[in-house]
Amino acid sequence: MKRVTSLLFLLAFSLLKAQNSLPQDYFQNPLDVPIVLAGSFGELRSNHFHSGLDIKTQQREGLPVKASAAGYISRINIQHYGYGKALYIQHPNGYTTVYGHLQKLAPKLQEYLKKKQYAKESYEIELFPEAGELQVEQGELIAYSGNTGGSGGPHLHFEIRDGSQQPMNAQLFGIDVPDSREPLIEGLFAYALDEEAHVNDSQKRQKLRLIPTSNGNFTTNEVDACGEIGFGISAVDQQDGAYNHNGVFRIDASLNGEQVFEIDFDKFSFAETRNLNRLIDYQYYQSSRKRIQKLFKSPDNPLSMYGELQNYGKLNIKDSLDYQYTIKVTDFKGNEKTITIPIKGRSSNEISKETPPPNFTLVEAGKNFSAKENGIDISIPAGTIYEDAFMDIQFMGDTVKVHKDEIPAASNFTIGFDISEVPAEKRDQLFVARISDYGKPSYSSTYRNGNRITTRTRTFGTYTLATDIQPPRVSPVNFYDGQWISNNETLKIQISDDLSGINSYRATINGKFILMEYEYKNNTLTYDFSDNVITDNADNDLKVIVTDNVGNTTSFTATFHRKY
């Protein structure tokens, strides 16, 4: 007991020392409102770990965003998706702060950006100003908060990155997030990890019943098991002021008082982020939309956030022995929940085993796999999947089923279609479509090479060839043809495409390029008259050309009148 206590003290001291070595008063809250989180650092997202703090902006856009510390603007990245409008500040101490989903930049930065966008004639742009070109002081206005890019609602995405551009938990630097709540435990699961193991006479995933204890923690009924087993937990955290289910900071597990597993979310690299799919039970997530964090790992799992592991977190349960397994879930402020699981080692001759259907095909993770039929070919390179898997592969006329999206892919595999029998005049409108569970086709990035059309994807499922003959739809929102719009601050156009999706757009007034911002969440293009492209003509001819992903094009024209 004394040895365990000493180890825990040293661990806590080491963590405290590591945190205290980071600057604690260097960075400040980038907003003038109290920090309430919509998302936490390291939170489990679709195919990635969340790399920053999502700070709520009181359900509004346009809040002043200020430089968290002095430095210079090292990068401006404007894109339709992802972070939307984002700023990066390089600081003298080697760290970088990132501000994402912005509505617009501060005036001097906005002027700099617009000049570059007009020079390139593109809304999407990535800029790397020279050191000293755009200096900012701590607390200086740099932007206004928004909802651009992949944001699901108004908020500021805020990051701190180290000198290697690895994101770190901003709370490690003294950014204070009020949190007096304990983590929430949503589910507990047990797994049999080898062919001879069982949990409660089964090799299937077992959901265990959580029994509340008098001190607010949990225990379970006694688990009968034998062989190599592991556990998984579905847990979230809530900070003060919001009901969002955010990520936890740390999970520890011990067996009979000895630590066997540790993971904490204080830092990671973007190169490893997709390996989140090795941390979670991907199949369970795809069927339930709930993420189970596995408290064990495979030997080749490269995730860096694992700490102390014994036997990779896997437990070897012996017949006739008793064990106590304890899980502790902790948030950044030290609020915690524990689960105590009594385990009885018991061999069984009546194990319920999972066997793949006889028509499934074994795809080995370390070997190339290919199949071809009906002019359709599949190529799954070695290393595409993390573990060997039995997959449902079926060729059905002009459609191929490559299992379903319950096996994570680390990299792309290829599906190809022979189109030599398709008339030449119809080939340009072909694309590869992924068919949803509800039978709806969606565009999958498509490449043409002679008589072959292919897609490269990391999503297993059903794919077919589809044809898109309908051009995009374009219609005005805040004006009509021939209207006087002297009081308008903007021109708004709605664009949409029902099948292959929008690929590009371009707009001009009287033949001059105008910058239109595309917001895919509401299908609008917006031009701001403050750009001053046209300043002297009362009669103006607007032309907008929109192209979808197979090349269908719509050209929209209108005349408007305006006094400047």
Side-chain angles (χ1 to χ4, degrees):
M1 181 65 185
K2 186 179 292 185
R3 177 175 175 269
V4 172
T5 303
S6 298
L7 286 173
L8 290 175
F9 174 79
L10 288 173
L11 179 66
F13 178 78
S14 298
L15 180 62
L16 182 64
K17 184 177 179 181
Q19 291 186 21
N20 287 342
S21 67
L22 300 174
Q24 295 299 295
D25 299 314
Y26 193 87
F27 298 105
Q28 69 177 30
N29 180 358
L31 297 171
D32 289 332
V33 298
I35 294 182
V36 178
L37 294 188
S40 59
F41 181 85
E43 187 171 298
L44 310 182
R45 299 284 180 90
S46 179
N47 297 314
H48 70 283
F49 297 101
H50 188 236
S51 56
L53 301 181
D54 282 348
I55 306 174
K56 286 177 175 285
T57 54
Q58 302 175 337
Q59 300 180 333
R60 295 182 289 155
E61 297 185 43
L63 271 63
V65 177
K66 299 181 178 181
S68 185
Y72 70 91
I73 305 296
S74 58
R75 182 182 177 195
I76 302 173
N77 195 20
I78 310 297
Q79 53 186 338
H80 296 138
Y81 308 103
Y83 289 177
K85 298 178 183 179
L87 282 178
Y88 298 69
I89 300 178
Q90 181 66 48
H91 303 284
N93 65 352
Y95 292 97
T96 302
T97 51
V98 183
Y99 312 77
H101 307 306
L102 304 172
Q103 180 191 66
K104 60 181 179 180
L105 309 189
K108 75 172 184 180
L109 302 180
Q110 188 77 357
E111 181 181 3
Y112 175 90
L113 169 65
K114 284 288 181 78
K115 286 181 179 178
K116 300 292 186 179
Q117 289 174 312
Y118 271 99
K120 188 181 177 183
E121 295 194 354
S122 173
Y123 170 73
E124 290 194 301
I125 195 168
E126 187 173 19
L127 303 171
F128 298 92
E130 296 291 331
E133 187 175 1
L134 296 173
Q135 292 278 0
V136 293
E137 298 299 322
Q138 184 176 50
E140 181 179 338
L141 176 70
I142 56 171
Y144 296 91
S145 67
N147 186 31
T148 56
S151 172
H155 72 274
L156 174 68
H157 176 89
F158 175 68
E159 291 180 24
I160 299 178
R161 298 182 182 180
D162 68 10
S164 300
Q165 292 299 299
Q166 294 186 105
M168 301 182 67
N169 192 333
Q171 293 183 83
L172 294 169
F173 295 83
I175 298 293
D176 185 52
V177 180
D179 184 1
S180 59
R181 302 183 186 184
E182 299 168 341
L184 300 175
I185 309 299
E186 297 183 328
L188 175 67
F189 303 82
Y191 297 81
L193 300 179
D194 64 36
E195 294 182 357
E196 304 304 320
H198 78 90
V199 176
N200 295 335
D201 294 327
S202 177
Q203 290 193 325
K204 299 178 181 179
R205 178 198 309 113
Q206 298 287 301
K207 185 171 185 178
L208 305 180
R209 186 169 72 92
L210 292 166
I211 304 171
T213 61
S214 59
N215 61 3
N217 293 310
F218 296 97
T219 187
T220 69
N221 294 320
E222 186 175 76
V223 174
D224 287 341
C226 198
E228 190 169 71
I229 70 169
F231 288 87
I233 189 170
S234 179
V236 296
D237 190 40
Q238 289 182 317
Q239 291 82 28
D240 295 351
Y243 292 99
N244 299 73
H245 284 193
N246 300 328
V248 302
F249 177 66
R250 182 184 178 92
I251 304 175
D252 300 274
S254 60
L255 185 67
N256 295 338
E258 187 172 358
Q259 186 171 29
V260 294
F261 180 87
E262 172 194 351
I263 188 169
D264 57 63
F265 298 93
D266 55 8
K267 179 179 180 178
F268 65 88
S269 72
F270 287 109
E272 66 180 325
T273 190
R274 192 174 177 88
N275 286 300
L276 169 140
N277 290 329
R278 307 191 74 179
L279 170 65
I280 68 170
D281 184 332
Y282 189 83
Q283 181 186 47
Y284 184 82
Y285 171 70
Q286 290 301 111
S287 63
S288 70
R289 311 316 290 178
K290 294 281 188 180
R291 293 184 176 91
I292 301 171
Q293 298 187 57
K294 295 184 289 189
L295 308 184
F296 56 90
K297 58 169 281 191
S298 57
D300 61 343
N301 186 336
L303 285 175
S304 62
M305 56 268 296
Y306 290 112
E308 180 70 26
L309 297 179
Q310 284 194 23
N311 191 35
Y312 303 102
K314 302 172 184 179
L315 312 179
N316 287 309
I317 304 302
K318 306 296 185 182
D319 185 33
S320 303
L321 296 180
D322 294 331
Y323 304 83
Q324 181 172 286
Y325 185 72
T326 303
I327 304 169
K328 183 171 69 174
V329 182
T330 312
D331 64 24
F332 188 85
K333 286 298 182 72
N335 304 303
E336 64 182 49
K337 280 282 187 182
T338 62
I339 307 171
T340 303
I341 307 163
I343 304 172
K344 178 71 174 180
R346 184 182 65 80
S347 62
S348 175
N349 295 320
E350 299 179 358
I351 301 175
S352 173
K353 296 188 176 183
E354 282 192 294
T355 57
N359 59 328
F360 276 31
T361 301
L362 175 63
V363 178
E364 298 181 68
K367 295 182 179 180
N368 294 330
F369 173 86
S370 61
K372 185 175 182 179
E373 195 174 312
N374 300 338
I376 306 173
D377 57 87
I378 305 165
S379 176
I380 304 176
T384 299
I385 57 177
Y386 298 114
E387 299 173 354
D388 296 352
F390 285 92
M391 301 180 66
D392 182 12
I393 297 177
Q394 300 180 44
F395 294 89
M396 304 166 286
D398 61 355
T399 300
V400 60
K401 180 178 183 181
V402 190
H403 203 68
K404 56 184 178 180
D405 189 15
E406 64 179 21
I407 297 173
S411 55
N412 287 317
F413 62 96
T414 302
I415 302 172
F417 295 81
D418 182 352
I419 58 171
S420 58
E421 296 184 6
V422 177
E425 65 273 14
K426 295 183 178 181
R427 293 182 185 180
D428 287 345
Q429 295 170 316
L430 285 175
F431 67 96
V432 180
R434 181 171 181 265
I435 307 300
S436 73
D437 293 339
Y438 307 103
K440 183 179 179 180
S442 61
Y443 179 82
S444 184
S445 296
T446 300
Y447 308 90
R448 293 172 175 81
N449 185 7
N451 291 331
R452 192 164 178 264
I453 191 170
T454 63
T455 187
R456 299 179 71 244
T457 178
R458 290 191 285 194
T459 304
F460 293 110
T462 300
Y463 291 83
T464 191
L465 282 181
T467 301
D468 184 359
I469 61 173
Q470 297 296 325
R473 293 192 298 273
V474 182
S475 58
V477 174
N478 65 344
F479 69 100
Y480 56 82
D481 188 26
Q483 185 181 9
W484 278 90
I485 55 171
S486 299
N487 293 326
N488 279 30
E489 295 181 353
T490 61
L491 273 180
K492 288 185 180 292
I493 303 285
Q494 188 164 65
I495 62 175
S496 62
D497 189 83
D498 288 338
L499 198 51
S500 64
I502 301 295
N503 177 268
S504 63
Y505 59 89
R506 179 180 171 82
T508 59
I509 295 178
N510 301 335
K512 292 184 178 181
F513 170 81
I514 60 170
L515 187 67
M516 299 203 83
E517 177 177 340
Y518 177 42
E519 177 49 77
Y520 74 94
K521 293 191 286 288
N522 57 20
N523 298 317
T524 58
L525 293 174
T526 302
Y527 165 67
D528 194 323
F529 280 111
S530 66
D531 288 358
N532 293 322
V533 173
I534 306 298
T535 60
D536 54 0
N537 291 349
D539 302 325
N540 298 280
D541 295 321
L542 171 69
K543 184 175 184 179
V544 181
I545 300 173
V546 183
T547 305
D548 66 19
N549 277 306
V550 298
N552 297 312
T553 296
T554 296
S555 181
F556 169 84
T557 59
T559 298
F560 65 88
H561 310 288
R562 182 177 175 85
K563 290 183 179 180
Y564 295 92

